[in-house]
Amino acid sequence: MKINELPPEEVYLKLNSSKTGLTDKEVKNRYEIYGLNQIEEVKKKSIILKFLANLYQLLALLLWAASILAFLSGTPQLGFAIIAVIIINAIFSFWQEYKAEKALEALKKILPSRAKVIRNGLETEILSAELVPGDVLVLEEGDNISADSRLVEANQMKIDSSTLTGESRPVRKVSSQAKKSEEDNLIGTPNIIFAGTSVAAGSGKALVFATGKDTEFNQIASLTQEISQDVSPLKEELSRITRIIAFIAVLLGIILFTVNLWVVQLPLQIAFIFAIGLTVANVPEGLLPTVTLALAASVQKMARKNALIKRLSSVETLGSTNIICTDKTGTLTRNEMTVRKVWLPWEIIDVTGAGYSPEGKFLHRGNPIDHHEIRELNLLMRSATFCNDSKLVEPGTMGGKWNILGDPTEAALLVAARKSGFIWEEQVALKPRIMELPFDSQRKSMISIHHDTGKQVAYVKGAPKKIINLSNTISVDGTVVSLSSEEKNKIIAKHDDLAASGLRILAMAYRDLPEDYDNYSAQAVERDLTFLGMVAMQDPPRPEVKPAVEDCHQAGIRIIMITGDYGLTAKAIAEEVGIVGKGPCKIIKGKDLNQMDDEKLKEVLISGENVIFARAVPEHKMRIASILENMDEIVAMTGDGVNDAPALRKADIGVAMGITGTDVAKEAADMILTDDNFATIVEAIKEGRTIYENIRKFITYIFAHETAEIVPFMMMVLFRIPLPITVMQILAIDLGTDTVPALALGVGPAESDVMNRPPRPRKERLLNFGVIFRGYIFLGVIEATLVMSGFFWVLMSSGWNWGEQIALNNPTYLKATSVVFAGIVLAQMGNLLGCQTNRTSVMEVGIFKNKWILPGILFSVAVLLIIIYLPPLQGLFGTAALGITEWLYLLSFVPIMFLADELRKYFLRKKALSK
């Protein structure tokens, strides 16, 4: 019989497994037979093809054209030199892109896919790749399914099979055997679940029968692995810059060629060479690979700070983020739930102890509780532990301290039960579970139905106000009595007092059902409840959140709390961490939000007043994200549940929790927090701002020497002087002395005021007027003036007169061009030091705080000295050895360039203070 046609108990026999799972020995044997549970990777684009792609991108095509013109003009040495430049640049670009790709692949391994299984009779968590046929999978809402499996238990389970079937709506699944069929295809069978799908609702257990290449999902692997990535706004912007630069380079080359040929009346060959030189001088060969490496380095840096960025394009978006929509539990707080108080009719009991250790006591007014309270407490703890899917793990199993598997809130209830002396394992054995109705964000409750003597009992756990309203009786001293409206109001008032102190509260209740009851819908079960009491838990704020919130306020970033918690609890935490002040704060409940139209909600969001969305559901997050997007805001949205996925996709930056987040949420997100910490989001935004600024810094640095390379050609045409710099010297600067320093600027640290300024507007160009003015005009003109002064100084000190022609092999001419070449390199060192900041003084930050600056300088100096003094290279690059006088003159360029930019920044800061 087919596996789907067998009853659950026979499925274990067919796969040689059992309810206690496989043993370690069985796992090892099956692993040798079936191998890793991984899909077969589609053959990717070969390394050779990736390398060759760098030989025909736009700037490379421009250089190929220049090399062809060099050959046509009778200067093959120049043609070969340009071809060498193309190949070197291709190698450099390929290597940088390869490193960036490998860096992203390494990041994916930091948070590998995991699965919960039963092995050796114990529930444990393993890598999904380690699953073998016969493993017993334990599934909950939000879990990704990593192998084809047959369900043996299913509690209200729905599966999202859209990746496999294209069906957008979750499909109900059951564990019962299917009817016999001649159809071999198992897709669509109600008791079979497949790798690549996910649990949309409910819980259950399943037996793995196919892994890796044997799964259905492997058949469509090529489709999932060959999806092309969208071009990011930054890449589009860089492509635009590249096209503009290429157009300018060609236009200037044509103009120079025309003027030299018809106005200056130079020979055709010389006119060609000069035009090629000016074209090459305008090509920033290292721009694109430097940007790629800078982004990859930024992503790796964020990973070290617990933020995993799934796409390079997300880095730039982070820098523009101006609103963070955050949850409360686990993000702003530690997610270390500890039961602090228990409300039993009609008194408060204090609970001592902390963490997941069961060391602690229940005290009533400082004294141990009496037997009446113990009886009531046992009833409440039965509901708290029966309505529970978490596990307590004793020391030694998962380290040297008590640990948990599952939801921290449910685990806190188990810890409290252990402290009270309630042994739930024995109770569950006596009163086994019949059915579970899992927690639902709309219902805000969970139901667990159990066998009891001559009856069934439904135990309910959930939001206090809901449970109170559904209850018409209450258990007092072991006696069930009527619960009046006045008494309900008193309980709600006590609940509000506890919530206002920042405690998270759950209520417990139960209902006796007939032995033959079979209507297991939530609507039918959740009525006529007997109220048992409330449990108040403390989840203290993370200490690092308050400074991070202050940074957000300083940086012009608004924080909106969207939580499923009670409004007063959320407000208390928001006040403690500084999201809202002690003044008025608008708390909008989920039901009130449902009654608001979009215009009214937009008014609330645009007002800028303190607002908290409480008792919110994932659909509310989606709606808020959509409205903020329509307002042209750039939003980072946190989420951890399966239903949060649409909101995470809708937001500009979807942020999933790495610890508590479901697999579905992690897949939908752009960024995953490995520590679930709000402060990490702020660090990522800071890094996003920094990388954008760094890209502008090295563009400025590159543009400065472009001007210094173009001006000599313009002066040659306008003033009939010898050409001050050769094409080979330009290539030596562009792909030699300037490469490592440009990379150093790309990976520099943040400026001190990076979080003291408002977010960058969404439509602001990378190449704006400020960048062009600082690079091409301000720094570029100063640098060009300095190097041209050195050129004329050498010529005139040797007796050269204005308008006089000079041979290209004349020692004086060689020394003069060497001064221009060395002058640009040394001036760029001053620019390198100054371009480390855009507004702040470098002296304030530290000249060598960026550890790559000094290696960049040493690299430039080494290349410069080799080209100036090594005889074989002197002939190739047209250089001559310089004396101490020339070097002393050139060394003055470093402080001049540095101090000029420091002066510019000083006036910028002064202007900002005067506003």
Side-chain angles (χ1 to χ4, degrees):
M1 291 179 72
K2 298 172 189 173
I3 195 167
N4 63 310
E5 297 171 358
L6 296 172
E9 56 273 12
E10 292 184 23
V11 178
Y12 290 103
L13 295 174
K14 184 175 179 67
L15 293 168
N16 294 318
S17 185
S18 69
K19 292 184 178 181
T20 58
L22 301 173
T23 64
D24 290 339
K25 184 178 179 181
E26 288 171 326
V27 169
K28 184 179 179 182
N29 291 338
R30 297 184 191 206
Y31 178 72
E32 289 174 357
I33 296 170
Y34 299 104
L36 284 174
N37 177 35
Q38 294 177 338
I39 63 172
E40 295 175 317
E41 287 197 7
V42 174
K43 191 174 181 182
K44 296 181 179 178
K45 193 176 181 180
S46 72
I47 289 179
I48 293 175
L49 289 177
K50 287 181 179 180
F51 169 74
L52 291 176
N54 290 288
L55 296 177
Y56 53 81
Q57 49 100 349
L58 182 59
L59 294 182
L61 292 174
L62 195 60
L63 291 174
W64 280 116
S67 67
I68 292 169
L69 290 174
F71 283 114
L72 292 176
S73 65
T75 51
Q77 69 275 15
L78 178 58
F80 284 121
I82 295 174
I83 291 173
V85 166
I86 297 169
I87 294 171
I88 292 170
N89 190 53
I91 293 170
F92 178 69
S93 299
F94 166 75
W95 179 243
Q96 304 297 40
E97 290 167 5
Y98 179 77
K99 282 172 66 179
E101 185 179 312
K102 289 299 178 185
L104 287 177
E105 287 179 8
L107 289 178
K108 292 177 183 177
K109 296 177 182 178
I110 295 176
L111 266 185
S113 176
R114 305 187 74 85
K116 289 189 286 290
V117 297
I118 296 175
R119 286 183 179 175
N120 302 304
L122 297 173
E123 185 177 317
T124 186
E125 201 171 72
I126 63 169
L127 294 174
S128 297
E130 296 173 357
L131 285 171
V132 294
D135 262 326
V136 181
L137 276 175
V138 180
L139 299 167
E140 296 175 355
E141 181 181 300
D143 287 348
N144 273 349
I145 297 164
S146 304
D148 291 356
S149 310
R150 160 66 200 271
L151 283 168
V152 290
E153 288 182 28
N155 298 309
Q156 303 291 305
M157 182 175 279
K158 290 185 178 180
I159 298 295
D160 180 356
S161 303
S162 55
T163 53
L164 195 66
T165 65
E167 174 60 50
S168 60
R169 297 181 65 180
V171 179
R172 175 64 62 89
K173 293 288 183 177
V174 296
S175 59
S176 56
Q177 66 191 97
K179 294 179 181 179
K180 290 186 178 182
S181 170
E182 300 298 324
E183 180 65 50
D184 290 328
N185 189 356
L186 294 176
I187 294 177
T189 306
N191 59 13
I192 302 293
I193 55 178
F194 297 95
T197 62
S198 60
V199 183
S203 60
K205 292 178 182 176
L207 213 58
V208 174
F209 65 81
T211 58
K213 60 183 176 59
D214 298 322
T215 63
E216 290 287 338
F217 191 69
N218 188 65
Q219 306 304 314
I220 59 168
S222 58
L223 300 178
T224 62
Q225 293 184 46
E226 292 180 351
I227 296 172
S228 60
Q229 292 186 345
D230 293 334
V231 178
S232 74
L234 180 59
K235 285 191 176 180
E236 287 181 352
E237 176 76 357
L238 288 170
S239 297
R240 187 183 72 89
I241 293 172
T242 301
R243 290 193 297 271
I244 291 171
I245 290 172
F247 175 77
I248 292 172
V250 172
L251 182 64
L252 289 177
I254 293 171
I255 291 172
L256 183 66
F257 175 75
T258 304
V259 170
N260 278 335
L261 192 63
W262 300 102
V263 179
V264 183
Q265 296 185 341
L266 290 176
L268 180 65
Q269 179 184 8
I270 302 299
F272 255 132
I273 293 171
F274 289 166
I276 292 167
L278 185 59
T279 302
V280 171
N282 271 285
V283 177
E285 292 88 350
L287 178 62
L288 295 179
T290 303
V291 170
T292 302
L293 184 67
L295 287 171
S298 181
V299 167
Q300 289 178 303
K301 187 176 178 180
M302 288 188 197
R304 291 193 292 271
K305 293 183 178 181
N306 302 311
L308 297 188
I309 305 295
K310 292 168 62 178
R311 288 175 280 276
L312 286 180
S313 59
S314 300
V315 178
E316 62 196 89
T317 310
L318 277 166
S320 298
T321 300
N322 61 352
I323 291 180
I324 302 174
C325 294
T326 180
D327 199 350
K328 177 185 73 68
T329 303
T331 312
L332 300 175
T333 61
R334 295 178 181 176
N335 207 22
E336 294 175 0
M337 293 289 183
T338 303
V339 174
R340 288 297 178 205
K341 295 182 185 293
V342 172
W343 184 90
L344 293 174
W346 296 85
E347 52 200 356
I348 292 285
I349 295 173
D350 296 310
V351 186
T352 65
Y356 298 121
S357 169
E359 300 293 328
K361 298 178 181 179
F362 279 68
L363 302 173
H364 182 215
R365 297 175 183 171
N367 300 311
I369 57 178
D370 61 30
H371 68 281
H372 293 294
E373 291 161 332
I374 289 174
R375 185 171 56 196
E376 289 298 320
L377 187 61
N378 282 342
L379 276 172
L380 182 139
M381 287 302 166
R382 184 179 296 163
S383 182
T385 55
F386 281 19
C387 265
N388 204 309
D389 290 321
S390 66
K391 298 280 189 300
L392 271 185
V393 183
E394 295 185 12
T397 309
M398 291 177 65
K401 63 179 183 178
W402 285 87
N403 219 313
I404 66 164
L405 283 173
D407 180 68
T409 301
E410 292 190 344
L413 297 175
L414 296 185
V415 173
R418 187 80 82 194
K419 289 175 183 177
S420 74
F422 182 79
I423 310 300
W424 67 85
E425 295 92 341
E426 296 176 1
Q427 292 290 317
V428 170
L430 295 171
K431 305 177 191 327
R433 179 185 277 179
I434 301 170
M435 164 71 71
E436 174 193 317
L437 297 176
F439 176 83
D440 182 272
S441 59
Q442 296 287 346
R443 286 188 3 250
K444 298 192 181 302
S445 62
M446 173 184 178
I447 305 169
S448 186
I449 302 171
H450 292 252
H451 277 298
D452 206 333
T453 306
K455 62 181 178 181
Q456 299 178 30
V457 181
Y459 295 96
V460 185
K461 173 191 75 181
K465 285 190 176 180
K466 178 198 170 170
I467 303 300
I468 292 167
N469 288 328
L470 291 173
S471 301
N472 55 18
T473 56
I474 185 169
S475 179
V476 182
D477 293 333
T479 304
V480 176
V481 297
S482 168
L483 182 61
S484 67
S485 297
E486 184 181 348
E487 288 171 326
K488 286 183 179 182
N489 290 334
K490 285 182 180 179
I491 299 173
I492 290 172
K494 195 63 200 177
H495 163 266
D496 288 352
D497 288 342
L498 293 170
S501 62
L503 296 175
R504 187 181 189 190
I505 305 158
L506 288 174
M508 311 296 160
Y510 76 94
R511 180 187 171 198
D512 289 331
L513 302 171
E515 190 172 12
D516 59 351
Y517 192 85
D518 61 358
N519 185 3
Y520 294 126
S521 69
Q523 188 176 7
V525 174
E526 282 186 333
R527 59 187 180 86
D528 302 330
L529 303 180
T530 298
F531 193 73
L532 293 173
M534 298 182 291
V535 175
M537 289 165 280
Q538 183 186 43
D539 185 15
R542 297 175 183 267
E544 60 272 28
V545 167
K546 191 170 185 177
V549 169
E550 290 173 359
D551 285 345
C552 285
H553 291 325
Q554 189 72 27
I557 299 170
R558 185 182 176 195
I559 304 169
I560 299 174
M561 185 189 286
I562 308 174
T563 177
D565 265 358
Y566 190 58
L568 292 176
T569 304
K571 183 174 183 286
I573 295 296
E575 286 179 349
E576 191 171 347
V577 299
I579 291 177
V580 300
K582 296 293 182 181
C585 174
K586 183 175 251 182
I587 299 174
I588 300 176
K589 299 175 186 176
K591 63 180 182 180
D592 298 328
L593 186 55
N594 290 335
Q595 295 170 2
M596 279 187 183
D597 60 26
D598 286 353
E599 281 302 314
K600 182 65 177 173
L601 179 55
K602 185 176 179 180
E603 285 177 22
V604 171
L605 292 171
I606 210 169
S607 68
E609 63 182 321
N610 290 331
V611 60
I612 292 172
F613 294 95
R615 291 298 187 212
V617 296
E619 290 78 9
H620 293 147
K621 287 185 176 182
M622 176 69 175
R623 186 181 171 201
I624 291 168
S626 299
I627 290 174
L628 288 171
E629 183 185 52
N630 292 336
M631 292 164 59
D632 209 29
E633 308 287 0
I634 301 179
V635 182
M637 175 75 73
T638 68
D640 54 11
V642 60
N643 292 332
D644 287 328
L648 295 178
R649 291 193 184 97
K650 185 67 176 174
D652 297 280
I653 294 289
V655 183
M657 304 299 112
I659 299 173
T660 60
T662 59
D663 295 334
V664 176
K666 291 173 190 175
E667 285 190 2
D670 304 291
M671 179 168 75
I672 300 171
L673 307 182
T674 58
D675 59 355
D676 289 10
N677 195 336
F678 177 85
T680 304
I681 303 175
V682 181
E683 279 295 319
I685 289 174
K686 181 179 179 180
E687 187 61 31
R689 291 187 176 195
T690 299
I691 187 61
Y692 208 83
E693 291 293 307
N694 284 349
I695 293 172
R696 281 181 166 173
K697 288 171 188 175
F698 68 67
I699 288 177
T700 301
Y701 174 80
I702 290 170
F703 280 0
H705 80 71
E706 298 281 345
T707 302
E709 292 170 352
I710 294 168
V711 166
F713 283 91
M714 295 173 65
M715 292 193 69
M716 179 202 71
V717 173
L718 294 173
F719 303 109
R720 307 287 182 93
I721 62 171
L723 181 63
I725 188 168
T726 68
V727 177
M728 292 299 293
Q729 288 167 357
I730 289 171
L731 294 175
I733 293 168
D734 291 0
L735 277 176
T737 60
D738 257 9
T739 52
V740 177
L743 289 174
L745 288 174
V747 296
E751 291 186 45
S752 58
D753 68 340
V754 71
M755 293 297 281
N756 294 340
R757 291 174 283 110
R760 185 183 75 251
R762 186 193 291 267
K763 296 180 181 179
E764 182 177 310
R765 294 283 191 183
L766 177 68
L767 188 61
N768 59 12
F769 176 76
V771 175
I772 295 171
F773 176 81
R774 184 185 180 191
Y776 266 130
I777 302 173
F778 181 74
L779 295 175
V781 169
I782 295 173
E783 187 171 318
T785 302
L786 290 174
V787 298
M788 290 309 298
S789 70
F791 179 73
F792 290 124
W793 169 60
V794 171
L795 288 181
M796 290 179 174
S797 62
S798 299
W800 176 81
N801 294 311
W802 198 271
E804 183 182 333
Q805 292 302 311
I806 189 169
L808 298 180
N809 60 354
N810 186 298
T812 298
Y813 175 72
L814 293 175
K815 181 179 282 190
T817 59
S818 299
V819 164
V820 173
F821 168 59
I824 291 175
V825 174
L826 289 170
Q828 284 294 91
M829 289 182 193
N831 281 336
L832 177 64
L833 297 175
C835 284
Q836 291 182 82
T837 62
N838 288 323
R839 294 157 305 279
T840 312
S841 171
V842 176
M843 305 305 293
E844 181 183 327
V845 174
I847 291 182
F848 296 112
K849 184 179 180 181
N850 181 349
K851 64 180 181 178
W852 297 105
I853 292 295
L854 190 57
I857 291 173
L858 294 175
F859 175 82
S860 291
V861 169
V863 173
L864 173 63
L865 293 178
I866 288 170
I867 292 174
I868 291 288
Y869 289 106
L870 205 63
L873 295 183
Q874 285 179 332
L876 180 62
F877 290 95
T879 59
L882 301 178
I884 188 67
T885 306
E886 288 85 15
W887 282 119
L888 288 174
Y889 184 81
L890 293 172
L891 284 171
S892 68
F893 293 2
V894 179
I896 290 172
M897 295 302 304
F898 174 72
L899 293 174
D901 202 40
E902 283 290 284
L903 191 63
R904 180 195 65 84
K905 286 180 274 191
Y906 168 76
F907 284 114
L908 274 181
R909 294 194 300 272
K910 190 174 180 181
K911 182 180 179 182
L913 288 173
S914 65
K915 288 183 178 179

